[in-house]
Amino acid sequence: MSIDLRNVANQLAIAVVSITLAVLAWAAFASYFAVPDLVPSPTATAAAAMTMIENGSLFWHVVVSLERVLVGYGAGCIVGVIIGALMGRIHLFGLFASPLLQLLRPISPVALVPLSIIWFGIGDMSRYFIIFYGVVIIMIMNTAAGVSSTPNIRLNAARCLGAKQQQLFRRVIIPSAVPYILTGMRVALGFAFMGIVAAEMIAAQSGIGYLIMQSRTLLRTDIMFVGLVTLGVLGAIIDSCFKIAIDRTMKRFMEYQVNA
Amino acid sequence: MKGSFDTPTLTLPGRSPRPGAAPQTAWQELSLDRVSVTFNAGQPNEYRALDGADLRVARGEFYCLLGPSGCGKSTVLNLVAGFIQPSRGRIQIGDQAIKEPGTDRVVVFQDVTNALFPWLRTDENVAFGLTLQGVQKAEALSRARDILGVVGLKEHAQKFPYELSGGMKQRCQIARALLVEPEVLLMDEPFAALDAISKRILQQELLRLWQQYHMTVIYITHDVSESILLAQRIGVMRRGPGSAVKQEFAVDLPYPRRPSDGAFSALYARVEMSLQEEVGVSLHEH
């Protein structure tokens, strides 16, 4: 436990030093080399952020974006796990679905923005769909991979303890896929955050993506930087929480790595 | 690791019909008749693992299959477990053919990491077989903890597999098998990956459990000394491809056996020579 804590403290200290150095470099670059309108200084960015925090607009943009990420991501995870599990479970379905997935995978969520507008209009449904799409592909692939890579010995062990097909699936195959599903969820969360800007390019009136897009029109790079930094910070915080939440579960499965 | 164990207080309830269980009446013999197994038949990588293999194991017997690696020992075990079907020949318990895995024949695997369920605690791992049969979770867990006492793991009931040592994991696997009351315990080099001390303790405990539960044990090993320490009969297998049991040795020594005994070492020499013939042949050809 104390070793764990020391590790966390170490990592935090390293993160603080690394970020401080980067901000100093940014400040030096902004004041000595760059045109202020193109590269706002950290202080100018902080000032813009303070104003937006004080009038509550930053908080509101964050909440709106998070809500969109959450809906698209949640739906993507649920649907992805179901389809992925079916692909792993029903051999023929998996066989026929795989090539389609390979075709869909290179199509980025951004490429689907126009189509999404035609299908779902310019409301939130479109934005959910963009995020959902990025998430669901990853979740399907990871779940299918997890379901089909259950160790044979584990299946055999369960079978001689009396497990029938249905029980094997529910009590052995799906739990065995959990590390793959959790890893997929973590990767997909990153994609959901990347997708939010694309999603909010669609006639949005709020959200971090909207903030970034709009500050381009107004040539307010300081606000743009506030948006970018907010995206980075939010994503990193949520990813860290996620990592802490799944570490215990992963530890059970990753025996060799833990002992190494 | 402690070698001590609780005094067994378990009474075995009457054997009820279980899923996949072959024998309905008391059987006397488990038999393989002229069994052949060919993998990837008709393909370029076709491999004949067993060819006309015969084997008879009496009910309640402790039988060791001994052979060089890759000789098809595990194939025999997989056949008896019902994981694979023979290409030719018959496998029966009494007069019932083995068609699928069942709780009357439970395997203890060498690879404990994959054999146990990493997301379940020790007692949940052990109770797994009972819960499959629809036994209430509380009841199953309580019976699991009783049997964990028998294998000396009572204090570790709440741990996850990754928190257990190799020897403890193997105890857990044995407890899990015992709880479904198998007629035949199939053991695939179960202690090969353990350190020498854990191995010796577990060998002794296995003998105790075998006598206490009146099980039939088919035990696979490539360790001559281990086979003489444990088995009533030893079958030495020909090296593959097309393997079969080529010679059997009866071990008429009282338990507990000691490698320092004269009779032990005399038999060791004979079994070792029989095994060496197989290893020797393979050394010449490769």
Side-chain angles (χ1 to χ4, degrees):
Chain A
M1 188 63 195
S2 68
I3 293 173
D4 278 4
L5 275 178
R6 209 178 310 155
N7 262 339
V8 170
N10 274 343
Q11 282 175 9
L12 266 180
I14 290 170
V16 167
V17 171
S18 132
I19 291 167
T20 310
L21 286 176
V23 170
L24 286 177
W26 170 17
F29 183 76
S31 40
Y32 297 115
F33 300 105
V35 184
D37 275 347
L38 297 186
V39 183
S41 69
T43 41
T45 307
M50 278 316 289
T51 318
M52 294 171 68
I53 289 170
E54 272 164 15
N55 66 22
S57 63
L58 185 61
F59 180 72
W60 183 61
H61 286 303
V62 166
V63 168
V64 169
S65 282
L66 277 185
E67 185 259 346
R68 287 171 185 152
V69 167
L70 209 71
V71 173
Y73 175 72
C77 284
I78 293 168
V79 174
V81 167
I82 293 172
I83 296 179
L86 288 176
M87 278 179 66
R89 172 97 165 118
I90 305 166
H91 185 65
L92 211 61
F93 178 56
L95 225 54
F96 279 84
S98 294
L100 297 179
L101 271 180
Q102 295 300 338
L103 284 178
L104 285 176
R105 196 159 66 141
I107 304 176
S108 87
V110 183
L112 284 186
V113 167
L115 185 67
S116 171
I117 294 174
I118 293 173
W119 282 359
F120 302 107
I122 55 170
D124 265 346
M125 197 59 205
S126 261
R127 293 183 262 277
Y128 296 150
F129 174 74
I130 296 294
I131 295 167
F132 168 86
Y133 169 79
V135 170
V136 79
I137 301 283
I138 296 168
M139 290 310 295
I140 291 174
M141 301 193 81
N142 272 51
T143 307
V147 163
S148 57
S149 66
T150 311
N152 253 327
I153 287 184
R154 199 177 288 161
L155 289 173
N156 279 342
R159 286 167 75 204
C160 64
L161 291 168
K164 297 286 159 235
Q165 279 306 314
Q166 203 60 34
Q167 291 171 317
L168 273 185
F169 189 67
R170 208 163 43 82
R171 300 197 45 189
V172 182
I173 295 174
I174 288 291
S176 291
V178 161
Y180 290 80
I181 294 173
L182 289 178
T183 308
M185 284 176 72
R186 206 175 150 200
V187 175
L189 191 65
F191 273 74
F193 269 89
M194 288 188 236
I196 187 67
V197 178
E200 286 171 352
M201 284 178 0
I202 307 170
Q205 295 302 316
S206 56
I208 307 283
Y210 160 79
L211 190 69
I212 293 170
M213 294 300 295
Q214 198 218 17
S215 51
R216 181 195 61 127
T217 326
L218 305 174
L219 207 68
R220 286 291 302 273
T221 47
D222 52 342
I223 295 179
M224 194 185 282
F225 267 59
V226 172
L228 292 173
V229 171
T230 307
L231 263 186
V233 169
L234 265 185
I237 289 175
I238 293 178
D239 185 67
S240 305
C241 295
F242 204 104
K243 185 176 183 304
I244 291 167
I246 67 175
D247 260 3
R248 271 186 73 86
T249 314
M250 291 300 269
K251 200 172 166 187
R252 287 173 207 163
F253 289 86
M254 302 292 170
E255 177 143 28
Y256 296 119
Q257 285 89 327
V258 169
N259 289 343
Chain B
M1 180 193 306
K2 284 197 334 188
S4 64
F5 36 79
D6 296 1
T7 317
T9 52
L10 280 184
T11 50
L12 288 176
R15 294 184 184 280
S16 47
R18 280 155 292 156
Q24 297 303 320
T25 53
W27 54 283
Q28 292 309 317
E29 192 178 66
L30 186 156
S31 59
L32 275 72
D33 285 306
R34 315 293 305 156
V35 166
S36 299
V37 173
T38 306
F39 294 114
N40 306 312
Q43 288 166 30
N45 56 345
E46 173 175 308
Y47 183 78
R48 194 149 33 89
L50 295 179
D51 191 5
D54 287 317
L55 179 68
R56 303 199 178 281
V57 179
R59 184 175 197 175
E61 187 176 21
F62 198 126
Y63 190 96
C64 249
L65 271 176
L66 189 66
S69 57
C71 75
K73 302 186 294 279
S74 294
T75 305
V76 172
L77 198 102
N78 287 336
L79 283 166
V80 176
F83 298 149
I84 57 174
Q85 294 298 316
S87 316
R88 270 185 294 134
R90 277 188 314 179
I91 305 159
Q92 292 180 311
I93 288 190
D95 53 5
Q96 301 273 330
I98 291 174
K99 294 198 186 71
E100 56 177 358
T103 56
D104 56 330
R105 292 155 279 127
V106 178
V107 181
V108 173
F109 300 88
Q110 182 189 350
D111 178 0
V112 271
T113 303
N114 280 325
L116 293 175
F117 307 110
W119 57 90
L120 297 179
R121 294 176 194 279
T122 303
D123 53 357
E124 294 169 329
N125 256 292
V126 174
F128 188 84
L130 283 185
T131 55
L132 289 177
Q133 296 169 21
V135 176
Q136 287 302 309
K137 192 167 182 199
E139 153 90 8
L141 283 178
S142 125
R143 282 167 66 186
R145 283 189 285 268
D146 285 345
I147 210 126
L148 281 170
V150 176
V151 300
L153 269 189
K154 197 151 205 150
E155 307 90 273
H156 304 285
Q158 290 297 304
K159 290 185 178 168
F160 286 99
Y162 79 92
E163 298 172 295
L164 302 177
S165 72
M168 288 193 243
K169 276 186 231 172
Q170 212 46 285
R171 284 163 192 268
C172 177
Q173 218 194 146
I174 292 170
R176 184 176 71 177
L178 289 179
L179 198 56
V180 296
E181 298 163 29
E183 306 259 350
V184 185
L185 195 60
L186 302 164
M187 307 189 82
D188 194 353
E189 306 199 29
F191 308 143
L194 301 183
D195 63 274
I197 295 169
S198 307
K199 188 176 191 170
R200 202 176 311 157
I201 294 167
L202 276 167
Q203 285 166 343
Q204 285 160 8
E205 292 199 24
L206 174 62
L207 284 174
R208 175 179 63 83
L209 292 168
W210 162 60
Q211 286 159 344
Q212 180 187 339
Y213 286 85
H214 309 291
M215 290 176 298
T216 310
V217 179
I218 299 179
Y219 190 104
I220 285 178
T221 182
H222 54 252
D223 179 346
V224 176
S225 178
E226 181 174 45
S227 69
I228 301 175
L229 208 59
L230 296 174
Q232 294 176 303
R233 251 175 348 127
I234 299 167
V236 178
M237 290 188 72
R238 250 193 338 252
R239 76 190 181 90
S243 183
V245 175
K246 67 157 191 175
Q247 191 176 5
E248 284 185 331
F249 295 89
V251 190
D252 293 321
L253 302 171
Y255 297 99
R257 295 165 178 166
R258 271 173 253 286
S260 51
D261 285 355
F264 192 109
S265 27
L267 183 59
Y268 183 95
R270 287 171 56 213
V271 178
E272 175 73 17
M273 185 174 294
S274 178
L275 183 63
Q276 279 301 327
E277 286 169 9
E278 297 312 309
V279 182
V281 173
S282 76
L283 282 177
H284 284 300
E285 286 187 6
H286 287 283

